[in-house]
Amino acid sequence: MTTLSVFDQSQPETARTVTENPAEIRELLARHGVRFEQWPTRDLPADASQEEILEAYGDEVAKLKAECGFQAADVVSLNPDNPQKEALRKKFLDEHTHREDEVRFFVRGQALFYLHFGNEVFAVLCQKNDLISVPDGTRHWFDMGPEPEFTCIRLFTNPEGWAADFTGEDIAARLPHYEALAGAAG
């Protein structure tokens, strides 16, 4: 189930707020300009190709492209048997920003987005059906866990794809990781 945990960065060991209510999650995130929606998903084979996934969600991708000016869409999919899973997890675990909105629609599985606003960190456990759009310039990081299992459609205004500016702050190392938060949610 999708959850939102809110932490004070000076007391990272305990979440101040935890909710599983999608309307409340949407409202709390919207206060910071984050778009959160839940969309229906389609039944696709576990080994569906990027092309098959993008075709299945062609109408939704086209709508977001027209609405937000996105130029490119792709699919990222990770499974526990991926030999590069540790390196990929580490790549996204440090706080960073982007010069464009970071949009993900989860068509399978789950992962955590951490969003850093002032003294607060919002940890959003996104799951199948969740669409999240993190505004450009928002400090954040992503934790797919030690055994990643998810598929997301990503949209970009930059046709070259994902590019990050790392903040150099250690906040990500001080908060509970995926193992603690996803385990608590399950």
Side-chain angles (χ1 to χ4, degrees):
M1 176 170 283
T2 304
T3 60
L4 170 65
S5 304
V6 181
F7 295 87
D8 182 313
Q9 74 176 19
S10 66
Q11 298 175 344
E13 60 283 343
T14 306
R16 192 177 71 237
T17 303
V18 177
T19 183
E20 296 176 349
N21 179 324
E24 185 177 8
I25 293 170
R26 184 173 33 262
E27 179 185 323
L28 290 168
L29 292 173
R31 293 178 189 170
H32 297 281
V34 176
R35 178 178 184 170
F36 176 80
E37 298 173 2
Q38 293 187 310
W39 290 4
T41 52
R42 308 206 181 24
D43 289 327
L44 295 170
D47 62 347
S49 69
Q50 173 170 286
E51 293 76 19
E52 290 169 320
I53 293 168
L54 289 174
E55 182 179 325
Y57 293 96
D59 291 342
E60 290 88 345
V61 169
K63 180 182 171 192
L64 283 172
K65 282 182 171 182
E67 179 185 334
C68 302
F70 296 117
Q71 300 297 310
D74 72 4
V75 174
V76 62
S77 188
L78 270 121
N79 292 307
D81 62 352
N82 187 308
Q84 297 177 341
K85 66 185 178 187
E86 288 180 40
L88 289 168
R89 183 183 189 194
K90 185 170 175 20
K91 176 180 178 178
F92 302 112
L93 267 180
D94 289 328
E95 185 181 73
H96 58 276
T97 63
H98 300 287
R99 295 186 184 137
E100 65 178 330
D101 292 358
E102 180 164 347
V103 180
R104 303 292 180 265
F105 174 57
F106 284 78
V107 299
R108 179 183 69 90
Q110 67 180 21
L112 267 164
F113 270 96
Y114 294 81
L115 312 169
H116 189 178
F117 305 112
N119 291 325
E120 294 182 316
V121 176
F122 286 48
V124 186
L125 179 62
C126 293
Q127 305 218 337
K128 179 180 176 179
N129 299 91
D130 291 343
L131 171 88
I132 189 166
S133 178
V134 180
D136 68 339
T138 300
R139 295 182 297 162
H140 69 282
W141 62 97
F142 180 75
D143 189 353
M144 62 187 79
E147 300 295 322
E149 191 159 351
F150 69 92
T151 300
C152 289
I153 296 175
R154 308 184 304 175
L155 290 111
F156 303 97
T157 52
N158 176 354
E160 295 177 20
W162 193 86
D165 298 312
F166 290 92
T167 67
E169 292 192 31
D170 72 343
I171 184 72
R174 292 186 276 132
L175 268 81
H177 287 157
Y178 177 92
E179 298 86 333
L181 295 179

